[in-house]
Amino acid sequence: MKTTADMRRTRRQLAAAGSAIMLAAILAAPAYAQEAAADVTPAGAEETRGAEDIIVTARRRDERLQDVPIAISAITGDTLREQNITNIQDAAKLVPTLLVGRSSSGAGSVIYMRGIGTGSLSRGFEQSISINIDNVQISRGNAINIGYLDLAQMEILKGPQALFFGKNSPGGIITMTSADPTDELELSVKAGYDFESRQAYGEAVASGPLTDTIGARVAVRASDAQGYFHNDAVAFTDARGLLMGTFGGRYPRQREIAGRLTLQFEPSPDFKARLKLFASKNDAQPVIRQNLYCPNGTPQPVFGVVDLREDCRINRSVSIYSSPAALIVGYPEPRDGVPYTENRVLLTSLDMSYSPGDIDLTSVTAYFVNDQKQYSTFSFGQFGANELQKYSAFSQELRLATDFDFPLNATVGTYYQKTNFPVTNAALFQNTPVDPVTGRRFTAQQDMDLDTRTYSVFGELSLKLGDTIEINGGARATWERKDFDYTLSYVAPALRGAFPMGRNVNDTLKESDVSPQVTIAYKPSRQLTIYGGYRTGYKSGGYNQSQYLRNATTIRDLIFRAETASGFELGAKGQLADGRMTFNVALYDYDYKNLQTLVFDAATVSYNVANAGLLTTRGIEIDTSYNILEGDSDLRVNLAGSYNDAKFHDYVGQCYGGQTIAQGCSLNPNATGVFTGQDYDGRTPPRAPEWSLGGGFNFGTPVGENLRFKLVGDVRYTSSFDTHDALNPRAKQPGYALVNGSVTLGQEENGWELSLIGRNLTNKIIYFATIDQTGQGSGTGTAASVFPDLVSTTEAGRSVSLQFSYRF
């Protein structure tokens, strides 16, 4: 086991290695420049493309990955297709420092990068890591539930990205670009079966020209999964005399169908219009929750009942119950009390560009709707929550960019977005008697509506000093207005003294921000880019939509402030050995002020929102790849590593359940003298692993006549990290390594291909979010306490699928 001194030594060595690479790149710059001068490509000759000539759009224009002064991880469409990557969770397994998981609450997801992200518990939070699909900005966590298909590329941009991507991306952004129509007719089909989750899936694509000026592409995907876990729940009668039912078998079952139509109109070289229409339907069961920790070794009772099948371990055995008819009376849409999640998505975008000479005018119009309904059971089925939410967003962006044969060029634009987010949430979270008038047993129902309008203008100037130096500076100014309306429309009779039924609060929140950035890039040749920059980011404030109104609650208690980021990044990207070897290194240092946080208090069943004073994140990322073999047989190896040091500062936050005074719950006493706060200063935030390491290979060779054999393998290691928002030390996810691989045999050109694809082959079941068991624990903030059980949301483990595809 490594000591603290060993870890410090390793950190110094990694930092020294990164600095050495950066210094070597700087010192080698004159040699690069001389080489470039001696190897001028004649006019009209075809330029040789290097091994890593991936084209990205991180600055809303096509550029080589190696030329962009931003830390980016790009996953090509071939990799996504060959590895059957159809969701962000699977893509994240290929990218160091990126953690993505589903959430059991209305937030929809957990997305963290470089230790920065948004907690899983509040539907009121927008994500610090935004998602952009075909130029449409989505900052809601439920976006990970969209069915992704027929993607041309996925780009992960790290660090604040305020200038080019709408709003709310202080921690980074995940961009996805779907494939466009082809110049010639293209037909392909794909089908596969995952043996672990018993998932059958199929996909079909048709693409080609309709006329000389119009092209079309249609892609559809369908899947049916029985689930990775085994539901071993045993029916029982609780203390109220209600029978908690079971439905057994695999869990969670999921059925999905998705399709996209793309139409492209190009009447002249100067004008292009592209319409994308995407729709998906996803019927599934809610995420897995398992007891991670039981202080007594066995589950503690909830309402006097102990789950006989819960073993207090993270494994493939889970206990998920359905609710009896008497328990679901009055819920909006409980669907017979069997847990379910229903997602309906519509995403449309119209992208038009006009380029008369050295000016490029772009318009992006988009409309996005995510209609979600869910019924979940908790605590052995004795608690239930039914939530209906519909998020809709209209946006319009106008952008002008110049490309004059002149040292100074500019990009300017405007952005408008209007969103509507109504939510109805009915939940049973206390053992209340049946309502004699309505027959209801659930505790309370919230009805909320949030309307948001965002206006922004942005611009950047780009100055070239000679052929090697480029200075870019710009800013985005944002004005945002949020109108919030909240009614506590129902409360069980026994609790109406504390929770005022019928109470309504409404408010308007107005905020503004200016986020500047400056980048300097030195490019002595086509093979080397050295850059440094100052970047800022902004995520607007809002309202806590997870908290239940109490008598003393005011609208100010529900407001959280805007989150901002600022800091520096230094990096280098290069190619060696005639493009066969590439390297990328980035060092970063960012401050996040007023980081938006929320912690669940199981004892009082409350969701407490706060802004952390300061969170700093600094680190280094290094990756390299090398083509050992090129030609008929090819072999490519890659290595990647990152170290991230994230720390809270100036932040007193909530105690975890059962935390005593001696354990640090010794601040912020309440009216009765019981402490409620702990000092987070100097502590690592949740979901912020220090180390992410990885390596892999990609081998291909001809076999027989017109056949090709491919073998791909990689290992990704992530060090331990906290999963509890109040930093309960018992909720730490141990370090883990994910082993992935695939074997493929197929025809060289168009034709058939057969693949065996394995992900997470060592079957690691990972958890990203942990909370206290509802209604358990006591004595928090005192000298003696009882710890609650800890419940984690777990991700599926191993995936092994057989896949067949055919290109006509």
Side-chain angles (χ1 to χ4, degrees):
M1 182 176 178
K2 287 189 175 183
T3 64
T4 302
D6 292 333
M7 295 298 287
R8 290 199 195 99
R9 189 179 306 112
T10 306
R11 287 197 290 265
R12 288 196 297 269
Q13 291 171 348
L14 183 56
S19 302
I21 293 174
M22 193 81 70
L23 181 61
I26 295 172
L27 295 176
Y32 271 104
Q34 292 175 10
E35 179 184 344
D39 188 21
V40 178
T41 303
E46 182 179 353
E47 186 179 35
T48 301
R49 297 174 67 85
E52 279 295 314
D53 276 354
I54 298 173
I55 304 302
V56 297
T57 57
R59 297 194 290 181
R60 293 303 181 96
R61 55 182 182 267
D62 291 344
E63 299 176 280
R64 290 193 320 147
L65 175 64
Q66 291 297 115
D67 292 334
V68 181
I70 300 173
I72 306 174
S73 293
I75 307 174
T76 65
D78 288 341
T79 298
L80 295 169
R81 183 172 51 255
E82 292 171 0
Q83 300 300 310
N84 188 36
I85 295 174
T86 59
N87 57 63
I88 298 179
Q89 297 100 302
D90 289 336
K93 296 181 175 72
L94 303 179
V95 181
T97 77
L98 179 61
L99 300 178
V100 179
R102 292 180 65 195
S103 166
S104 62
S105 73
S109 67
V110 176
I111 308 176
Y112 276 69
M113 185 156 51
R114 291 178 172 177
I116 299 299
T118 301
S120 64
L121 295 175
S122 178
R123 68 184 72 87
F125 286 159
E126 296 182 272
Q127 293 291 320
S128 296
I129 313 295
S130 289
I131 295 173
N132 186 283
I133 306 173
D134 288 329
N135 293 324
V136 180
Q137 190 83 347
I138 304 172
S139 55
R140 289 287 169 181
N142 283 334
I144 74 164
N145 296 317
I146 298 174
Y148 302 111
L149 78 157
D150 193 33
L151 294 181
Q153 189 156 291
M154 182 180 293
E155 300 169 22
I156 294 88
L157 284 59
K158 304 173 184 179
Q161 307 293 328
L163 187 55
F164 293 106
F165 291 94
K167 53 173 283 187
N168 290 346
S169 52
I173 192 165
I174 301 171
T175 72
M176 284 164 281
T177 305
S178 62
D180 286 334
T182 50
D183 295 331
E184 298 180 354
L185 180 63
E186 174 187 299
L187 300 172
S188 66
V189 294
K190 179 174 70 176
Y193 184 78
D194 186 323
F195 298 95
E196 295 289 341
S197 63
R198 298 184 181 178
Q199 178 193 34
Y201 59 89
E203 188 173 315
V205 176
S207 177
L210 298 180
T211 69
D212 291 340
T213 59
I214 300 176
R217 188 179 186 95
V218 178
V220 295
R221 176 183 172 87
S223 68
D224 189 337
Q226 295 184 37
Y228 169 83
F229 296 89
H230 300 275
N231 186 10
D232 297 324
V234 175
F236 69 89
T237 300
D238 72 1
R240 298 166 293 185
L242 299 177
L243 177 65
M244 301 297 120
T246 64
F247 45 94
R250 293 279 185 141
Y251 192 94
R253 298 169 187 171
Q254 180 176 10
R255 290 182 178 177
E256 180 185 42
I257 183 168
R260 179 185 293 107
L261 169 66
T262 303
L263 294 174
Q264 185 165 292
F265 176 52
E266 196 167 359
S268 71
D270 296 338
F271 180 79
K272 179 190 293 185
R274 183 174 54 222
L275 174 68
K276 291 183 180 282
L277 175 61
F278 171 86
S280 69
K281 175 184 178 183
N282 188 319
D283 294 316
Q285 292 171 321
V287 297
I288 302 298
R289 294 159 56 95
Q290 299 187 67
N291 277 30
L292 169 69
Y293 167 78
C294 300
N296 300 328
T298 57
Q300 299 180 68
V302 175
F303 288 171
V305 175
V306 175
D307 186 353
L308 301 177
R309 303 297 295 181
E310 177 60 61
D311 56 9
C312 297
R313 294 190 302 166
I314 300 298
N315 52 33
R316 296 184 74 165
S317 176
V318 299
S319 298
I320 310 294
Y321 294 85
S322 60
S323 300
L327 200 62
I328 61 176
V329 172
Y331 276 113
E333 289 194 36
R335 304 278 178 88
D336 298 325
V338 177
Y340 77 92
T341 298
E342 174 187 287
N343 264 291
R344 304 290 184 266
V345 172
L346 175 67
L347 174 62
T348 63
S349 63
L350 176 61
D351 190 331
M352 296 184 291
S353 62
Y354 177 54
S355 305
D358 298 326
I359 296 177
D360 183 30
L361 297 168
T362 302
S363 169
V364 180
T365 307
Y367 182 63
F368 171 69
V369 178
N370 186 359
D371 190 351
Q372 177 178 293
K373 300 175 181 179
Q374 177 174 290
Y375 180 76
S376 302
T377 60
F378 310 98
S379 304
F380 326 146
Q382 298 175 101
F383 292 158
N386 191 193
E387 180 163 297
L388 314 178
Q389 56 172 263
K390 184 176 182 179
Y391 177 79
S392 60
F394 169 82
S395 63
Q396 174 65 56
E397 183 175 21
L398 298 173
R399 191 168 62 250
L400 183 150
T402 66
D403 189 20
F404 299 127
D405 187 16
F406 186 75
L408 185 65
N409 279 282
T411 299
V412 295
T414 65
Y415 178 82
Y416 169 75
Q417 185 186 61
K418 181 182 185 301
T419 68
N420 177 243
F421 188 38
V423 177
T424 292
N425 179 274
L428 190 160
F429 55 82
Q430 292 194 26
N431 186 10
T432 51
V434 63
D435 186 333
V437 177
T438 65
R440 293 174 173 174
R441 286 185 178 269
F442 65 81
T443 308
Q445 177 173 317
Q446 308 162 295
D447 291 294
M448 294 166 285
D449 196 9
L450 179 67
D451 290 321
T452 304
R453 285 179 172 83
T454 303
Y455 308 84
S456 66
V457 295
F458 58 93
E460 182 184 58
L461 293 176
S462 177
L463 176 64
K464 290 187 177 180
L465 302 179
D467 295 329
T468 60
I469 297 177
E470 180 179 308
I471 302 174
N472 295 280
R476 177 181 289 268
T478 302
W479 297 267
E480 191 160 74
R481 172 184 173 132
K482 293 186 176 182
D483 296 305
F484 181 58
D485 187 88
Y486 178 174
T487 299
L488 192 60
S489 56
Y490 175 77
V491 176
L495 296 177
R496 289 173 188 172
F499 298 89
M501 189 174 89
R503 185 181 176 193
N504 172 267
V505 295
N506 56 78
D507 190 53
T508 296
L509 181 65
K510 297 180 180 179
E511 294 180 312
S512 61
D513 175 78
V514 176
S515 298
Q517 69 177 46
V518 178
T519 303
I520 301 175
Y522 175 48
K523 302 177 182 179
S525 77
R526 189 178 187 276
Q527 287 76 36
L528 179 64
T529 299
I530 302 170
Y531 66 91
Y534 171 75
R535 294 181 175 275
T536 63
Y538 163 77
K539 186 176 76 166
S540 59
Y543 299 91
N544 181 3
Q545 294 177 261
S546 299
Q547 184 64 282
Y548 285 90
L549 290 176
R550 298 171 185 264
N551 285 319
T553 304
T554 68
I555 191 66
R556 298 302 156 197
D557 296 326
L558 303 178
I559 293 176
F560 52 87
R561 300 192 301 277
E563 175 182 311
T564 61
S566 62
F568 298 89
E569 192 144 345
L570 179 66
K573 304 179 177 186
Q575 294 181 342
L576 302 171
D578 296 325
R580 293 172 65 182
M581 181 179 181
T582 68
F583 69 85
N584 300 278
V585 57
L587 296 96
Y588 57 89
D589 188 337
Y590 289 104
D591 291 345
Y592 288 81
K593 295 181 180 179
N594 294 322
L595 187 78
Q596 295 163 5
T597 65
L598 184 142
V599 180
F600 175 61
D601 186 339
T604 61
V605 196
S606 58
Y607 296 82
N608 302 317
V609 68
N611 288 92
L614 176 67
L615 188 146
T616 60
T617 176
R618 50 182 60 93
I620 179 171
E621 298 166 341
I622 303 172
D623 69 77
T624 182
S625 64
Y626 185 68
N627 280 0
I628 297 176
L629 297 176
E630 290 183 325
D632 290 339
S633 297
D634 59 84
L635 174 61
R636 185 176 184 82
V637 297
N638 60 80
L639 295 171
S642 67
Y643 169 73
N644 182 70
D645 181 22
K647 291 289 187 293
F648 281 123
H649 303 280
D650 302 323
Y651 176 40
V652 174
Q654 183 177 312
C655 301
Y656 56 83
Q659 184 178 11
T660 63
I661 297 173
Q663 293 165 337
C665 186
S666 56
L667 301 173
N668 293 348
N670 61 20
T672 64
V674 174
F675 295 106
T676 63
Q678 59 172 320
D679 190 357
Y680 285 65
D681 189 71
R683 301 175 68 184
T684 301
R687 294 168 284 276
E690 281 190 319
W691 295 96
S692 297
L693 307 170
F697 67 89
N698 192 319
F699 173 72
T701 188
V703 177
E705 185 176 349
N706 195 33
L707 293 179
R708 189 167 189 82
F709 172 79
K710 300 177 186 178
L711 181 64
V712 178
D714 70 80
V715 179
R716 302 284 171 178
Y717 170 76
T718 301
S719 64
S720 63
F721 54 88
D722 287 298
T723 66
H724 195 283
D725 290 320
L727 303 184
N728 188 322
R730 299 160 188 82
K732 191 178 289 288
Q733 165 66 55
Y736 58 89
L738 299 179
V739 180
N740 309 304
S742 66
V743 180
T744 301
L745 180 66
Q747 293 177 289
E748 286 274 10
E749 302 297 332
N750 290 344
W752 62 269
E753 190 173 78
L754 184 65
S755 301
L756 182 65
I757 304 167
R759 288 195 294 269
N760 189 2
L761 291 173
T762 54
N763 205 21
K764 301 293 185 182
I765 300 177
I766 303 161
Y767 47 95
F768 296 118
T770 302
I771 62 173
D772 300 344
Q773 178 66 275
T774 304
Q776 292 185 359
S778 63
T780 303
T782 65
S785 69
V786 175
F787 290 112
D789 295 347
L790 297 180
V791 182
S792 296
T793 302
T794 52
E795 302 291 318
R798 179 170 48 226
S799 169
V800 178
S801 57
L802 186 65
Q803 177 175 290
F804 175 82
S805 62
Y806 195 94
R807 287 177 174 265
F808 297 90

